[in-house]
Amino acid sequence: MAEGMLKADRDNMTTQNPLIVIASNRGAHTFEPDGENGFTVRRGAGGLVTALGGLAERHEVMWVAAALSEGDRAWAARQGGQPSEVEGVLLRLITPDLDAYHSYYNVIANPLLWFIQHQLWDLPRTPSIDRQVWDAWEQGYVAVNRQFAEAIASVVSGTDRPVIIFPQDYHLYMVPGFLRPLLGPRVQIQPFVHIPWPGPDAWRMLPAQMRDAILTSMLQSDRIGFQTKKDAFNFVQTCRFYLDDVHSRGSRDSVEVDQRVVQASAYPISVDVEQLRTLVDEHETRLLKSQLITFIGDRRLILRVDRIEPSKNILRGLQAYRALLEQHPEHRDRVQMLALLVPSRMEVLEYQDYLREIMAEAGMINAQFSDAFWEPVRIVVGENYPRAIAAMQLYDVLLVNPIADGMNLVAKEGVLVNEHDGALVLSEHAGAYYELGDQSISVSPFDVYGTAEAMHRALIMPRSEREARAAALRERVQGADVRRWFYAQVADALAALESH
Ligand code: GDG
């Protein structure tokens, strides 16, 4: 138990006041040695960081994450394995063996689990679960998850206050299973899964031993949070299908196992409305916006903003744009497609190939349709969040067509900051569809023809209809900010603690 924690226990907290522990692969802070025996701290972006801002004022929050850089490792070494306060949060960084971390992150979590949960396989060829993958499972994924659980247990085991632990996402599926024997039933374990949870059939790609280990571990939780009710339902079905002695007795959102009930609940993640408004007003964003206005001219803007990631379906989006220009020549020279693409996992061969295909397709569209004044599609590759927010203010059509997406925050940010009463073309397989679908123009991500027609419909939609839809969408996002997402999880965990 850390010295700092004991002091907080004594001074500030009553036994009613819970300790909240977040565990995630990537933490909220990164560290760089400052050359003077100290460290420069940088705060990461992301919904969880925002949501915690307000929470840390009311509750004591501890964050356990992996050290991801040399600077992080040096900071962790300096703390000697103890949590230390950083911007109001007690932070503990674990420092896994580098090979183990590589196996956990680059062999199991990202290629295997991400691909299964977004159903991205080319089944005759991949996945190919060979000896290396099995080793990575045991010595990487399982080992790093165990290390996370041990770090969490060590920071909470000395407190007699109620404890709620929130492991985040697909990197940490084994944490509940390791934690429960270490901490017993007195703690609430409540993971949140940010990405889709597909139905039982998708999980057949994973060998039974790995699959059952993940499901059994997750069922050591008290409640599991998902982005949508569909994901929660799929989880319940997956457990029923693959595990013996697991029942749901007709319930769509809970599983009975060993005479315990594990809830599967939907907590749709959202954006930080206040922070986005501030960002819109910042000088840099305004400057980028005026540059974009010049670039767009009097054409109508079709925008997409994505990580370069096959599940985002960027390639079919371009094919649909080509089909739009072919099927509806009246839009030629009157529209501008802008794709802001953020590099992601660029060391992975499949991702490099995917970017190459995107650039080739865009090049072919420009070769076919451009004239002296018009370049039909502009691809911008790079990291620039203010530019993305500036562009979102200006779109007439926002194209969000993922094959599968846990939520898709671009859809929510877009409808919030847009100033053109733009239309949202939204995949029915984005989590955001459950909240925004009825006011968007929905598409099947595989239907290139249908996506072209959806963009056409968006472009010719009468002004009054566009205004009404845009207003309804904006209102919906305003009313469900990211804080609400996190507080709802905390409230349910607190209620469960009280009923114990
Ligand atoms: C995962 C799930 C789920 C845009 N340009 C830049 C930049 N962005 C922002 C976007 C948006 C965020 O990055 C991307 O979030 P998404 O939700 O769209 O997608 P994933 O990255 O795949 O997120 C997803 C999410 O987790 C939360 O649970 O919604 O389904 O896949 O806010 O505007 N960010 C930075 N630089 C840019 O240039 N840093």
Side-chain angles (χ1 to χ4, degrees):
M1 180 81 202
E3 197 52 38
M5 272 292 308
L6 286 169
K7 184 174 180 317
D9 256 348
R10 280 196 310 267
D11 297 349
N12 304 328
M13 305 287 164
T14 69
T15 48
Q16 301 310 310
N17 202 350
L19 170 64
I20 290 177
V21 182
I22 312 286
S24 63
N25 176 61
R26 181 180 294 276
H29 301 92
T30 51
F31 299 89
E32 285 290 336
D34 66 5
E36 292 175 13
N37 212 24
F39 290 88
T40 310
V41 186
R42 273 202 321 187
R43 190 173 181 207
L48 198 57
V49 183
T50 304
L52 283 176
L55 198 75
E57 289 161 18
R58 275 186 270 163
H59 298 283
E60 188 164 24
V61 177
M62 181 165 303
W63 197 313
V64 178
L68 298 183
S69 65
E70 281 305 311
D72 289 356
R73 286 180 167 264
W75 182 87
R78 180 77 60 84
Q79 313 312 317
Q82 298 295 341
S84 301
E85 189 170 327
V86 182
E87 296 186 342
V89 170
L90 280 166
L91 179 64
R92 161 87 155 88
L93 291 184
I94 64 158
T95 49
D97 168 82
L98 289 178
D99 288 339
Y101 185 84
H102 169 79
S103 298
Y104 143 91
Y105 191 78
N106 294 320
V107 183
I108 303 297
N110 280 325
L112 196 57
L113 297 177
W114 177 276
F115 270 55
I116 284 177
Q117 294 193 238
H118 292 84
Q119 303 190 62
L120 296 175
W121 298 113
D122 170 14
L123 280 186
R125 294 175 195 82
T126 58
S128 177
I129 297 174
D130 55 14
R131 174 70 191 269
Q132 191 221 349
V133 178
W134 272 105
D135 289 347
W137 168 256
E138 279 302 332
Q139 293 150 31
Y141 193 77
V142 174
V144 173
N145 271 255
R146 186 186 290 114
Q147 207 174 340
F148 261 100
E150 284 166 356
I152 296 166
S154 83
V155 295
V156 306
S157 57
T159 185
D160 55 3
R161 287 162 42 203
V163 176
I164 310 172
I165 301 162
F166 294 106
Q168 299 297 303
D169 228 354
Y170 58 103
H171 310 95
L172 301 184
Y173 287 154
M174 300 300 285
V175 164
F178 287 126
L179 268 183
R180 189 60 80 191
L182 295 173
L183 295 176
R186 72 185 182 90
V187 298
Q188 285 285 311
I189 305 177
Q190 197 170 306
F192 183 80
V193 180
H194 290 253
I195 65 175
W197 193 284
D201 215 33
W203 292 93
R204 76 194 161 94
M205 262 65 90
L206 209 54
Q209 190 183 323
M210 295 183 195
R211 187 180 59 221
D212 294 354
I214 286 175
L215 296 175
T216 309
S217 165
M218 289 297 267
L219 288 178
Q220 289 298 325
S221 314
D222 297 278
R223 169 180 285 101
I224 306 166
F226 296 91
Q227 299 275 23
T228 68
K229 284 190 172 152
K230 183 178 165 205
D231 298 306
F233 176 68
N234 282 341
F235 176 79
V236 170
Q237 296 301 90
T238 309
C239 291
R240 285 184 56 191
F241 193 84
Y242 289 114
L243 298 182
D244 296 331
D245 301 325
V246 162
H247 311 279
S248 62
R249 308 210 191 279
S251 165
R252 294 170 67 91
D253 59 6
S254 68
V255 174
E256 274 179 49
V257 55
D258 299 336
Q259 293 165 340
R260 290 180 303 112
V261 175
V262 181
Q263 295 289 338
S265 309
Y267 302 101
I269 200 167
S270 193
V271 296
D272 184 346
V273 173
E274 224 175 272
Q275 198 183 57
L276 275 166
R277 296 234 159 97
T278 310
L279 187 56
V280 160
D281 284 336
E282 271 173 19
H283 178 69
E284 187 188 356
T285 317
R286 289 180 194 217
L287 201 68
L288 290 159
K289 185 179 164 193
S290 63
Q291 284 171 2
L292 285 166
I293 290 172
T294 310
F295 163 68
I296 300 159
D298 56 5
R299 299 192 174 93
R300 314 216 27 226
L301 177 65
I302 302 177
L303 176 71
R304 72 173 309 138
V305 179
D306 304 273
R307 283 189 299 108
I308 300 166
E309 157 62 55
S311 65
K312 303 291 181 185
N313 210 20
I314 301 162
L315 202 52
R316 283 199 194 83
L318 286 168
Q319 291 162 356
Y321 182 58
R322 174 204 286 275
L324 172 77
L325 299 177
E326 278 166 358
Q327 285 157 213
H328 298 283
E330 69 273 22
H331 295 307
R332 291 183 197 170
D333 208 8
R334 301 236 164 89
V335 293
Q336 175 67 54
M337 179 174 256
L338 175 64
L340 300 181
L341 305 183
V342 184
S344 167
R345 302 175 195 164
M346 286 313 346
E347 64 291 349
V348 179
L349 209 62
E350 283 93 334
Y351 285 65
Q352 293 170 15
D353 290 344
Y354 193 60
L355 177 57
R356 263 187 222 111
E357 286 176 79
I358 290 167
M359 298 312 279
E361 182 64 29
M364 293 306 285
I365 294 170
N366 285 338
Q368 188 176 344
F369 295 102
S370 69
D371 60 29
F373 302 101
W374 181 49
E375 183 194 32
V377 49
R378 172 71 64 89
I379 307 276
V380 179
V381 174
E383 163 125 21
N384 189 337
Y385 186 53
R387 179 175 59 203
I389 297 300
M392 286 180 206
Q393 293 173 68
L394 300 171
Y395 70 76
D396 296 287
V397 180
L398 179 64
L399 177 60
V400 178
N401 67 326
I403 291 170
D405 219 333
M407 178 52 66
N408 195 294
L409 292 176
V410 171
K412 291 192 170 182
E413 291 163 335
V415 302
L416 186 76
V417 304
N418 183 257
E419 293 168 350
H420 281 198
D421 293 321
L424 174 63
V425 173
L426 182 60
S427 161
E428 59 187 11
H429 299 307
Y433 185 78
Y434 293 83
E435 290 163 276
L436 309 182
D438 64 332
Q439 296 296 339
S440 67
I441 303 177
S442 65
V443 288
S444 154
F446 310 104
D447 182 2
V448 168
Y449 172 82
T451 306
E453 288 303 308
M455 287 193 275
H456 173 63
R457 214 186 123 200
L459 288 166
I460 62 162
M461 187 181 280
R463 181 161 203 103
S464 57
E465 186 183 346
R466 278 201 291 131
E467 279 171 5
R469 284 175 184 256
L473 288 168
R474 194 162 45 240
E475 211 166 290
R476 230 166 265 177
V477 175
Q478 271 166 0
D481 173 271
V482 67
R483 288 167 193 81
R484 191 197 271 197
W485 165 74
F486 198 65
Y487 295 166
Q489 294 172 70
V490 174
D492 284 348
L494 284 174
L497 277 173
E498 270 161 29
S499 69
H500 261 205

